[in-house]
Amino acid sequence: MTGHPDIGIPADTAVPAPAPLLSVRGLGRRYGTRIGCTDVGFDLWPGEVMGIVGESGSGKSTLLNCLAGHLVPDAGEVIFDTRDRGPVDVLRLSEPERRMLGRTDWAFVHQNPRDGLRMGVSAGGNVGERLMAVGARHYGRIRETASDWLGRVEIAADRIDDRPRAFSGGMQQRLQIARNLVTGPRLVFMDEPTGGLDVSVQARLLDLLRGLVREMGLSALVVTHDLAVVRLLADRLMVMKDGRVVEAGLTDQVLDDPQHGYTQLLVSSVLQV
Amino acid sequence: MRDLQDDDARSGAGYNFAYLDEQTKRMIRRALLKAVAIPGYQVPFASREMPMPYGWGTGGVQVTAACLTPDDTLKVIDQGADDTTNAVSIRRFFARMAGVATTERTTEATVIQTRHRVPETPLRDGQILVYQVPIPEPLRFLEPRETETRRMHALEEYGLMHVKLYEDIARHGHIATSYAYPVKVEGRYVMDPSPIPKFDNPKLETAALQLFGAGREQRIYAIPPHTRVVSLDFEDHPFEATKADAACALCGATDSYLDEVVTDDTGGRMFVCSDTDYCATRREASETGDSA
């Protein structure tokens, strides 16, 4: 970054480069002698959606759980650009701070909505939980926000007092998304958000997610084995195999011109209808 | 501990004072001291088998046994009444095992063991109120994992408690939880005040020492005298101490918690004070010409 003294371009441009929202270096996690994931590093920029694809057992979910704080990685660092304190290594945060981050700036959408929802609590209560967890104590306002969010994920307003048990799979997944996004997070982790849904419901969910991501300027990490999902949703793509990142790049570039042998196999394995 | 054993055959020969052995009492007292030092915090303790079934007040009995001294006067309340099975048998148990004086008068008692009520008569400095607690964990029905509820207490994550109240309002239009109403003690721990009616919640701020014992769940917790106890609520749905909208049919009291008694099978019913001592004292006072 020395610039070009002979043609007069200064070394530093006037506009400072924005910092990455999430910066991962050398992340690794082992299960005994076996590798969960190893030496994973990438940057995620504000407003960017990154897809992580790979076959079953390639370490996608291990990676996501390590990043989200559900698993403790053995090595590496995860730097998150917090609102108030700037970039911090979330693995070195104390547990209350990490859990606070987990219910304010972060969101986690599970593959199975049953893991992410409270099945015995009404839809409104599910959406309101995060609000109450960060100190909302006004029933009317909580309910208003909840019904607003149900509308945004296309759940009818008269279902607000129904339990998620009475919802279809697609509705449960949309409810889970509403519940996660209600506190206006900046980073969303999604573990196979469309898994187990039929294709027409998948398409609507993807439409919805795409709209919300654009509208709220979210950054997202989407783990999936469905290449169509990343094609629609992700700006960049990481391909994992045996716990390692084998290829990374812009989504269209990776999918249209795969370089690594495994990626070529993956892309050519998709059934053409 | 031979010197502490009571020789009198009438008061439980062969048993230590107040049934429990001194080492057990010592263990319970240590738990009690910790509980008083951290108001509202559930202290685990090695609950003993007692000669009564779980659910009948094994926790309360152990706490009472650890607190009793030979000079104490014991009162036992069961749902406000002094003359129901549970109250009578526990009172007799301690009369026999500790030889302490017993009473039905709130004002005369130094130790009061209670099931599901706080006496109407305000408690004074120096009195101990021992509660029998079935389920000490206020978050239990919202979060089944004990590891998780402990962590939530440790990190003061009590949003879930409000989810429960939210559900109440969403379903019933008001906070329908009417007993075991969750409270926050001294601005820190959320606590289950045992299944007392929420009418009694304001009485948790008192001059007396309040001890809570859960035998099956092996937990002890406490509210020291004059500790701040706030019932949880929403800004637009504030806490309300409710009772039946009637006066006592026996003593005419309008300020006490009332039991509804069905008197026949044609819909006849009457409301009477749940606190039998309070009711009886008022009736005596009006008979002797004092103001009712």
Side-chain angles (χ1 to χ4, degrees):
Chain A
M1 301 300 272
T2 48
H4 269 278
D6 25 314
I7 51 171
I9 295 175
D12 290 310
T13 47
V15 184
L21 185 68
L22 186 74
S23 175
V24 180
R25 295 284 170 269
L27 198 76
R29 159 89 193 188
R30 285 171 170 276
Y31 298 107
T33 53
R34 278 172 292 122
I35 293 172
C37 63
T38 185
D39 200 23
V40 178
F42 63 89
D43 287 325
L44 185 72
W45 301 84
E48 188 182 38
V49 179
M50 166 112 76
I52 304 174
V53 296
E55 60 189 357
S56 298
S58 61
K60 311 185 297 278
S61 295
T62 300
L63 173 62
L64 199 69
N65 283 321
C66 283
L67 295 175
H70 300 169
L71 277 176
V72 182
D74 305 323
E77 51 187 18
V78 180
I79 314 281
F80 179 71
D81 187 14
T82 54
R83 282 180 219 235
D84 44 347
R85 290 162 49 192
V88 290
D89 186 352
V90 293
L91 302 178
R92 309 262 176 306
L93 283 180
S94 68
E95 194 178 357
E97 290 172 316
R98 197 162 54 232
R99 282 172 75 114
M100 191 64 191
L101 206 57
R103 54 178 192 260
T104 52
D105 262 0
W106 288 8
F108 197 102
V109 177
H110 293 264
Q111 172 178 8
N112 188 342
R114 274 153 216 281
D115 297 336
L117 290 173
R118 287 192 190 276
M119 298 307 281
V121 170
S122 70
N126 263 298
V127 178
E129 183 181 342
R130 269 169 84 107
L131 294 172
M132 292 182 247
V134 294
R137 292 290 179 265
H138 191 284
Y139 176 81
R141 283 200 287 273
I142 292 169
R143 199 165 167 84
E144 210 172 284
T145 314
S147 77
D148 172 47
W149 265 97
L150 289 183
R152 288 167 84 164
V153 297
E154 300 164 19
I155 294 175
D158 61 345
R159 303 297 301 270
I160 189 167
D161 291 332
D162 289 354
R163 307 258 172 109
R165 266 194 206 99
F167 287 6
S168 69
M171 277 172 84
Q172 287 181 359
Q173 196 58 287
R174 293 201 301 267
L175 179 61
Q176 195 195 175
I177 288 164
R179 167 189 160 90
N180 272 293
L181 298 189
V182 66
T183 48
R186 293 191 296 154
L187 176 58
V188 188
F189 300 100
M190 294 190 224
D191 191 1
E192 312 232 6
T194 58
L197 301 176
D198 75 60
V199 279
S200 62
V201 176
Q202 272 191 26
R204 278 181 64 198
L205 189 72
L206 285 174
D207 255 6
L208 178 76
L209 276 177
R210 209 150 55 145
L212 288 173
V213 163
R214 297 278 178 276
E215 187 187 322
M216 299 177 68
L218 294 175
S219 302
L221 273 171
V222 185
V223 160
T224 180
H225 50 233
D226 188 342
L227 292 183
V229 171
V230 288
R231 176 79 90 171
L232 276 171
L233 216 51
D235 305 312
R236 277 198 299 148
L237 187 59
M238 242 165 48
V239 184
M240 289 188 73
K241 176 155 173 51
D242 298 332
R244 289 183 170 79
V245 177
V246 293
E247 191 165 352
L250 296 175
T251 304
D252 291 344
Q253 184 189 345
V254 173
L255 291 184
D256 294 339
D257 182 20
Q259 300 296 312
H260 190 271
Y262 173 71
T263 318
Q264 291 171 356
L265 179 74
L266 195 70
V267 171
S268 62
S269 306
V270 177
L271 285 176
Q272 302 295 328
V273 202
Chain B
M1 293 296 152
R2 175 166 285 278
D3 53 331
L4 275 170
Q5 282 185 354
D6 201 334
D7 297 327
D8 190 352
R10 207 168 45 80
S11 56
Y15 284 99
N16 190 29
F17 174 77
Y19 185 74
L20 292 176
D21 62 276
E22 290 303 311
Q23 287 304 315
T24 300
K25 287 195 217 168
R26 191 179 141 98
M27 172 271 294
I28 294 173
R29 286 173 193 149
R30 286 171 70 105
L32 286 171
L33 286 175
K34 182 167 180 180
V36 170
I38 318 172
Y41 172 72
Q42 299 168 48
V43 184
F45 79 111
S47 176
R48 299 290 194 251
E49 291 278 342
M50 295 303 283
M52 59 199 307
Y54 287 125
W56 285 46
T58 50
V61 162
Q62 289 179 75
V63 172
T64 303
C67 290
L68 275 183
T69 66
D71 303 329
D72 272 322
T73 307
L74 179 71
K75 170 183 161 77
V76 184
I77 310 171
D78 174 9
Q79 302 267 24
D82 289 280
D83 51 3
T84 50
T85 317
N86 211 224
V88 171
S89 41
I90 291 177
R91 197 165 55 232
R92 273 223 300 259
F93 175 78
F94 280 117
R96 189 158 166 208
M97 287 295 159
V100 293
T102 59
T103 180
E104 296 193 356
R105 289 289 158 91
T106 304
T107 46
E108 290 167 13
T110 53
V111 177
I112 306 173
Q113 179 171 338
T114 180
R115 172 173 176 263
H116 307 183
R117 270 316 304 280
V118 179
E120 304 289 354
T121 315
L123 300 175
R124 58 164 204 277
D125 188 22
Q127 285 182 312
I128 300 178
L129 187 60
V130 178
Y131 293 78
Q132 303 171 197
V133 183
I135 295 164
E137 179 53 73
L139 303 161
R140 177 58 66 235
F141 291 111
L142 304 158
E143 175 55 65
R145 288 168 294 177
E146 174 70 16
T147 48
E148 187 64 16
T149 53
R150 281 203 206 186
R151 185 170 295 143
M152 289 160 82
H153 281 295
L155 303 179
E156 232 177 314
E157 284 183 6
Y158 291 131
L160 203 50
M161 208 69 247
H162 274 87
V163 173
K164 184 188 166 180
L165 301 180
Y166 170 94
E167 289 289 288
D168 259 9
I169 305 175
R171 208 169 313 154
H172 305 286
H174 59 99
I175 298 178
T177 304
S178 56
Y179 66 96
Y181 193 102
V183 294
K184 195 164 209 180
V185 181
E186 202 63 23
R188 178 60 181 83
Y189 283 97
V190 165
M191 189 195 91
D192 181 350
S194 86
I196 58 172
K198 67 175 168 184
F199 176 80
D200 284 346
N201 270 22
K203 290 188 236 159
L204 293 170
E205 281 185 4
T206 168
L209 170 63
Q210 299 173 85
L211 306 173
F212 298 76
R216 182 184 45 210
E217 304 285 327
Q218 314 198 321
R219 292 290 183 278
I220 281 173
Y221 49 104
I223 305 178
H226 307 292
T227 302
R228 192 156 39 90
V229 181
V230 180
S231 304
L232 300 181
D233 59 3
F234 284 104
E235 288 160 18
D236 47 346
H237 286 266
F239 171 78
E240 226 181 319
T242 52
K243 66 184 271 286
D245 188 18
C248 173
L250 301 177
C251 74
T254 53
D255 59 348
S256 71
Y257 190 72
L258 301 175
D259 283 340
E260 186 178 9
V261 182
V262 175
T263 50
D264 53 39
D265 58 359
T266 57
R269 59 198 57 211
M270 64 192 281
F271 288 96
V272 295
C273 286
S274 139
D275 187 336
T276 52
D277 168 55
Y278 183 72
C279 197
T281 312
R282 278 176 53 89
R283 275 179 286 154
E284 272 168 34
S286 62
E287 270 166 28
T288 55
D290 291 351
S291 63

